[in-house]
Amino acid sequence: MSALTLVLLVMAVAGTLLAVFLFVRRQRYIKSLRDRGWTFVGSPVFESVARLSNPPFGMGFTRNPDDQITGLTRSGRPFQVIEYGSEYWKGWVGMVTLSRRLPELWITGGQTQPRAGVAATMVPVPPQLGAGWTVGVQDPAFATEVLSGQLCTALLTLASGQPGVNLSIDGDQLVIQDPPRKDPDVLAPWLDQIAAIADAIDALPLDRWMQPPREPRLSFYQHPDWWWIGQDDSLLHSTPVTQSGHDHSTSDVIRGRDGDGPPFVAFTHHWKTTRTESSTDSEGRTTTRTVTENHSEAILGFELPVGMPWIQVSRRGFGAGISFESEAFNEQFAIHARDHKFAYDVIHPRQMEFLMAVQPVSFQVVGNWAWFEPGRHDHQTIARSSYFLRDFLARIPRFVWKNLGLQDSPYPQA
């Protein structure tokens, strides 16, 4: 026992010394930042990154800003270096402020990986940059105007001092992954190089590309009309959640829409069930215990512009559903409806081809809501269902909408 006690004592002392060492080192680091006139915040508020929506921001429901350094570059540009984590990525990013909000732009070079979740069109790289670089944008015309010779020179200067460059424009922020944040003496000139890139962008006549300001709220990449609510338990009384059990609650509530598609509400529903279990031991004694289990389900619904007869579209299971003229469709899908004529009007040959090509999750229309069975509550599932339903509704013939009381289809085909 004395030997074990000695080992535990040594481990406790070593742990204490390590904690003291790390604390002292951190305090010295923070002091070195403040000596430069910079500000260090150990627990920054979410508003520090709320206006950013391009990856690594704008993805997922869990977003955690951590240690933050702010200040001005030598040329007077505001900068921020911050640790950031989500379900999709965790690391450090640095950014300086541009004079205008501009469309997204992605530039990578050297030893770096593309950012997860980015949807961009790759465009030719200026010869001045050379091999090993990629450029992605939403509008190739913007890339043509922004990739000036001055910008290429600034990028090459930055790349010469590090193994890779991973840069993007996110609104009025020029964002770079993996800043050299451990050493302020290295970080300061690095930030000046980023400021030089910002200078090159600001010097260009890009006013026609200016973007409107965003509200400072949790936003989603390429979904400007989605917004985060968090918790709204009033939804438990107006949505088709499981009614059994107890302690019902909601989390990760999101509302929004995509373009002119139908507005949606999406969230996770939590509840508990309790049961009693009895067991008997070898001596015939019986004991009873209460077991509580936690449950959750993803809820996703879209509000339609008018009430519709009930119809359910699901993958082929035990029930065959209504028979359609396409055997290939009948083998894959089961359509159930109270009004068979309505089902035949909505699920016409072109609609069948669309459903077989897209393979959506099951859904049903109940009055003026379309309720999906997403299986999981995440960014990608909501987006896929949103775009699918908009296209599904656009394929419903005009006469069907007129029979429902509308003058024309509310979702014209693209």
Side-chain angles (χ1 to χ4, degrees), residues 295-310:
H295 309 271
S296 65
E297 63 183 348
I299 303 294
L300 174 60
F302 295 82
E303 188 173 11
L304 305 176
V306 66
M308 291 183 170
W310 178 79

Side-chain angles (χ1 to χ4, degrees), residues 55-183:
F57 310 101
M59 302 289 290
F61 305 145
T62 302
R63 308 182 189 184
N64 299 314
D66 206 340
D67 289 354
Q68 177 197 44
I69 307 165
T70 59
L72 299 176
T73 65
R74 187 171 55 180
S75 60
R77 282 188 183 270
F79 77 82
Q80 175 179 205
V81 174
I82 192 167
E83 186 178 13
Y84 179 80
S86 71
E87 302 103 303
Y88 299 90
W89 186 83
K90 182 175 177 61
W92 284 80
V93 290
M95 62 197 81
V96 300
T97 302
L98 299 167
S99 64
R100 295 161 290 193
R101 295 185 55 83
L102 296 172
E104 61 185 272
L105 172 75
W106 308 90
I107 301 177
T108 59
Q111 299 173 21
T112 186
Q113 295 296 320
R115 301 190 198 181
V118 171
T121 300
M122 296 297 107
V123 296
V125 176
Q128 186 172 342
L129 277 181
W133 292 84
T134 61
V135 177
V137 286
Q138 296 298 308
D139 189 336
F142 176 64
T144 301
E145 294 188 29
V146 77
L147 292 172
S148 65
Q150 183 183 353
L151 176 60
C152 291
T153 299
L155 287 169
L156 291 170
T157 300
L158 176 66
S160 65
Q162 58 189 68
V165 173
N166 195 319
L167 174 148
S168 69
I169 292 178
D170 191 341
D172 64 351
Q173 298 296 302
L174 187 62
V175 181
I176 317 284
Q177 286 189 185
D178 302 320
R181 45 90 188 179
K182 292 183 179 180
D183 186 346

Side-chain angles (χ1 to χ4, degrees), residues 313-317 326-335 350-363 372-375 380-381 383-389 391-392 395:
V313 178
S314 58
R315 301 302 302 274
R316 178 69 178 268
S326 169
E327 286 303 320
F329 180 79
N330 292 333
E331 291 175 358
Q332 297 182 48
F333 288 88
I335 309 298
R350 255 185 344 109
Q351 193 79 277
M352 294 181 213
E353 293 176 1
F354 173 65
L355 289 169
M356 287 190 289
V358 176
Q359 298 291 323
V361 300
S362 299
F363 69 97
F372 282 66
E373 299 177 15
Q380 293 85 354
T381 301
R384 283 195 298 268
S385 299
S386 177
Y387 293 134
F388 156 76
L389 184 62
D391 289 344
F392 176 86
R395 287 172 169 78

Side-chain angles (χ1 to χ4, degrees), residues 260 390-391 394-395 411-414:
D260 65 350
R390 172 37 173 100
D391 289 344
R395 287 172 169 78
Y411 306 107
Q413 291 196 43

